[in-house]
Amino acid sequence: MRRPIIAGNWKMYKTIQDAVDIAVALKRKFYTFSEADIIIGPPFTALAKVHDVIIDSSIMLAAQDMYWEAEGAFTGEISPMMLKDAGCRYVIIGHSERRHIFGETDEEVNKKVRAVLKHGMVPIICVGEKLDERDNGMMFEVLEKQLSRGLKDMAAEDVMRIVIAYEPVWAIGTGRTATPQQAQEAHEFIRNYIERLYGKETASKIRIQYGGSVKPGNIAQLMAQEDIDGALVGGASLDVNSFVEIINNAVL
Ligand code: PGA
């Protein structure tokens, strides 16, 4: 049985004070919550302060991106050591906004994923097809390419520890969620692909989140699918009440 994992990606929103206020409210609700892993991903500026709030609770901290070198002359970048120091347990890697707005490649995703693991954190590696790719029947091809390149040269023991987020680009921030069946089809493909490459045990243990317009009203149906183990929530994680409802509905 895979443990449900619900993560909030706050993207480029919230001041430090706003982030702390949300963290305080979430901590009040989920101080000791054992039914799922709850993760919040504030912007870099708020990580350390949010960590101070959630440190003694069951809520865990994620960063939204990272550079792969431990330190050095890389102006503007944030390293795995710095994220660990700020209290991060997870790092979101290869989000579609990184790939499509900032031109991040699968090769860079691979370097980042490996660096996250090397520094003892867990990568949430995002994959997903664009609308034209789906319409042209290329969904599986795109997913396979992103996974094979993103996970290149990684051992099964490492792959077992990562989290994959399937996020169809056409469903992100659009209000257009994949149907539970569409999401399950992609998740099943991803799990089968992991099984082919890394074996049955890895495939049965790896957690795969769905992301793309997840809301309190659609999370339960998504979670009811066999291969959907959680959600990576954007917009709806910015509001305490909707994120709380999503978490509660996810484990009904
Ligand atoms: P959304 O974003 O929930 O606002 O669609 C999801 C994501 O970008 O991870």
Side-chain angles (χ1 to χ4, degrees), residues 9 11 95 97 167 171-173 212-214 232-235:
N9 169 17
K11 308 193 179 186
H95 188 277
E97 285 147 19
E167 299 204 306
I172 295 178
S213 299
V214 171
L232 181 54
V233 187

Side-chain angles (χ1 to χ4, degrees), residues 11-216:
K11 308 193 179 186
M12 201 173 72
Y13 292 101
K14 306 295 180 191
T15 61
I16 296 173
Q17 191 56 53
D18 288 344
V20 164
D21 290 346
I22 297 179
V24 167
L26 290 173
K27 180 174 159 175
R28 229 173 261 145
K29 294 274 182 195
F30 300 114
Y31 188 71
T32 51
F33 188 73
S34 57
E35 289 155 86
D37 286 343
I38 302 173
I39 298 160
I40 49 178
F44 290 129
T45 47
L47 285 173
K49 278 266 163 73
V50 167
H51 182 243
D52 288 344
V53 173
I54 60 175
I55 190 162
D56 59 345
S57 78
S58 60
I59 303 169
M60 294 176 281
L61 192 65
Q64 300 172 18
D65 184 31
M66 187 195 86
Y67 192 57
W68 55 81
E69 295 288 351
E71 59 183 355
F74 302 103
T75 302
E77 292 296 331
I78 302 271
S79 86
M81 276 179 9
M82 292 166 183
L83 294 183
K84 229 183 150 180
D85 186 43
C88 291
R89 305 262 302 268
Y90 291 80
V91 188
I92 299 168
I93 299 290
H95 188 277
S96 68
E97 285 147 19
R98 302 279 346 145
R99 293 176 187 266
H100 303 304
I101 301 175
F102 301 102
E104 197 163 298
T105 64
D106 290 317
E107 289 66 33
E108 288 168 330
V109 167
N110 180 250
K111 284 185 185 166
K112 291 181 178 187
V113 167
R114 287 151 55 133
V116 174
L117 286 166
K118 187 171 155 202
H119 288 268
M121 297 176 287
V122 176
I124 298 176
I125 171 171
C126 304
V127 296
E129 80 287 357
K130 293 189 281 186
L131 187 58
D132 60 318
E133 293 167 335
R134 170 172 279 261
D135 288 345
N136 293 328
M138 287 163 60
M139 175 176 97
F140 295 134
E141 197 181 312
V142 169
L143 293 178
E144 186 160 331
K145 189 171 117 257
Q146 290 175 339
L147 288 169
S148 68
R149 294 183 182 175
L151 302 178
K152 192 164 170 270
D153 295 333
M154 285 175 52
E157 308 88 72
D158 287 335
V159 174
M160 209 178 281
R161 289 170 48 211
I162 71 172
V163 175
I164 295 175
Y166 168 64
E167 299 204 306
V169 180
W170 47 272
I172 295 178
T174 58
R176 199 182 144 187
T177 331
T179 63
Q181 293 69 29
Q182 285 173 323
Q184 166 58 23
E185 184 188 26
H187 281 233
E188 189 180 356
F189 173 82
I190 292 168
R191 201 176 300 285
N192 288 340
Y193 179 78
I194 296 293
E195 180 170 341
R196 248 190 292 146
L197 262 72
Y198 302 97
K200 239 188 167 48
E201 194 193 350
T202 304
S204 69
K205 288 199 170 145
I206 195 167
R207 292 187 292 178
I208 310 175
Q209 298 177 301
Y210 168 79
S213 299
V214 171
K215 301 274 183 298

